[in-house]
Amino acid sequence: MKVKQHPYLSPEAQRLRERDNTPPWGVHPCEVDSIEPPADGTAFAAAWTEAASLRQEIERAPKN
């Protein structure tokens, strides 16, 4: 696993959110496993989908 997972809004996740400028309604790739995929068309659902896609992209990237 390249993206270490942290519980949603844990101190570790909050530090990464601040570092990466993740907005309050957003989801950071480090939080994907701790949040159920939203089923609605909200901004939060779009943010979760984007974070999950980014995490998959990072996980697929070759290790340097």
Side-chain angles (χ1 to χ4, degrees):
M1 178 180 300
K2 292 182 181 181
V3 180
K4 185 175 179 183
Q5 294 292 286
H6 299 284
Y8 179 63
L9 295 180
S10 68
E12 297 88 356
Q14 286 181 14
R15 283 193 292 276
L16 290 171
R17 285 172 148 268
E18 289 171 11
R19 181 194 75 184
D20 296 337
N21 296 315
T22 303
W25 62 87
V27 178
H28 192 276
C30 77
E31 302 165 331
V32 171
D33 283 354
S34 69
I35 303 171
E36 290 291 320
D40 55 13
T42 64
F44 187 76
W48 187 93
T49 301
E50 183 179 343
S53 295
L54 179 56
R55 179 177 172 208
Q56 287 178 343
E57 183 180 326
I58 293 167
E59 295 286 338
R60 281 193 307 264
K63 290 185 177 181
N64 292 330

